[in-house]
């Protein structure tokens, strides 16, 4: 399946299966992907800010040049998920990114969120 040039703001794909799908040049902000299983998916040049991924399972997923700001990944399970070329800020449930691949600059930008998650205080 290929989805291209679409607008699906607020879409609800709750407890679904998304397999062998390519999503390109689309807007899926504020989407609900809770408990959805993603396998062999490529998401390219998409806006996904404010989306809810709680309890989702992502396997072999690549986010290429996507906006993933303000997403919630609480209780997410990730295996072979590439986020390196996408924007990530203000992530809720940051431990849900376990096993994802991030760039060094993304890690540095997310460091305060990681520190807060494990109870580290940062003061200058």
């Amino acid at each position: 399946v290929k989805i291209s040039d679409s607008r699906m703001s607020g879409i609800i794909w709750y407890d679904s299966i998304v397999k062998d799908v390519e999503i390109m040049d689309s807007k899926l902000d504020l989407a609900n992907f809770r408990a959805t299983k993603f396998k062999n998916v490529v998401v390219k040049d998409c806006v996904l800010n404010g989306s809810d991924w709680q309890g989702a399972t992502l396997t072999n997923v690549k986010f290429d040049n996507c906006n993933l700001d303000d997403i919630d990944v609480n209780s997410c399970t990730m295996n072979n998920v590439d986020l390196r070329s996408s924007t990530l800020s203000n992530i809720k449930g940051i431990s849900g990114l376990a096993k994802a691949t991030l760039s060094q600059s993304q890690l540095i930008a997310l460091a305060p969120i990681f520190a807060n998650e494990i109870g580290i205080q940062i003061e200058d």
Side-chain angles (χ1 to χ4, degrees):
V1 174
K2 186 173 186 175
I3 299 169
S4 182
D5 300 311
S6 63
R7 182 177 180 122
M8 297 182 277
S9 294
I11 192 167
I12 299 172
W13 281 356
Y14 176 79
D15 198 21
S16 302
I17 296 173
V18 180
K19 184 177 177 187
D20 300 321
V21 175
E22 184 176 358
I23 304 170
M24 299 176 54
D25 301 310
S26 296
K27 186 167 185 172
L28 294 102
D29 59 320
L30 305 173
N32 181 342
F33 300 119
R34 282 186 180 204
T36 295
K37 293 175 179 61
F38 291 83
K39 186 171 184 180
N40 304 329
V41 175
V42 174
V43 184
K44 183 174 181 173
D45 298 320
C46 291
V47 175
L48 293 133
N49 58 304
S51 54
D52 186 344
W53 299 82
Q54 289 188 54
T57 302
L58 290 80
T59 306
N60 300 326
V61 177
K62 181 174 185 173
F63 292 92
D64 187 8
N65 196 37
C66 294
N67 178 332
L68 296 166
D69 296 334
D70 302 310
I71 63 171
D72 189 338
V73 291
N74 271 300
S75 303
C76 239
T77 303
M78 296 192 183
N79 187 21
N80 194 30
V81 175
D82 189 344
L83 301 165
R84 290 177 289 176
S85 66
S86 294
T87 62
L88 292 165
S89 67
N90 218 18
I91 306 300
K92 296 175 191 92
I94 196 96
S95 62
L97 294 179
K99 297 187 181 178
T101 303
L102 303 174
S103 70
Q104 187 173 12
S105 61
Q106 286 171 318
L107 178 60
I108 291 168
L110 293 172
I113 298 171
F114 279 111
N116 186 53
E117 180 87 8
I118 61 173
I120 296 173
Q121 287 184 322
I122 301 171
E123 295 180 12
D124 290 328

